[in-house]
Amino acid sequence: MNKYYFDIRDGGQFIRDDEGVELAHSEAARQEATITLSEMARTWGSSRPHHRMAVEVRDDHGPILQVSFSFAVKPSSDLKGIGRNEKSGSRLLGKSRSSGR
């Protein structure tokens, strides 16, 4: 078992993990980082138009990987030529969500 540390970057905020977690291998650390980032994204405050989040994984020897996610909320005036089929696409997405697909 190796000890992995999961440092968090949330916008301009950095939270260093000084405790770490014992995991069997780096693939388990990648999965943990992905799950953590997914949970962070679900709680993102939509009042911010641009935002970046990351989980930086390291072990006792240094950095191993980074999982990141960026959000950009743009007003419709910035979407030149894109919005023509947006309503039908949104409707389809809504149906997929409600049907569990």
Side-chain angles (χ1 to χ4, degrees):
M1 295 277 259
N2 297 315
K3 194 167 217 179
Y4 295 93
Y5 302 88
F6 297 86
D7 300 328
I8 305 294
R9 289 194 186 273
D10 189 359
Q13 183 179 16
F14 178 77
I15 303 167
R16 182 179 173 88
D17 176 6
D18 291 323
E19 294 180 24
V21 176
E22 296 273 339
L23 296 170
H25 45 71
S26 62
E27 177 61 22
R30 185 196 64 78
Q31 290 173 350
E32 183 67 28
T34 303
I35 290 167
T36 299
L37 186 63
S38 165
E39 291 170 356
M40 289 170 56
R42 269 197 293 274
T43 62
W44 172 64
S46 62
S47 62
R48 296 175 277 185
H50 304 283
H51 197 68
R52 183 175 182 277
M53 307 173 169
V55 178
E56 299 173 356
V57 182
R58 60 187 164 82
D59 64 10
D60 292 325
H61 303 288
I64 300 221
L65 65 94
Q66 179 188 73
V67 180
S68 64
F69 202 88
S70 297
F71 296 91
V73 178
K74 298 179 181 181
S76 62
S77 60
D78 289 351
L79 304 175
K80 297 173 184 162
I82 295 177
R84 300 224 190 280
N85 293 323
E86 189 172 316
K87 287 186 179 180
S88 62
S90 296
R91 240 182 280 122
L92 290 174
L93 181 60
K95 286 183 181 179
S96 295
R97 283 185 189 159
S98 63
S99 65
R101 286 187 244 161

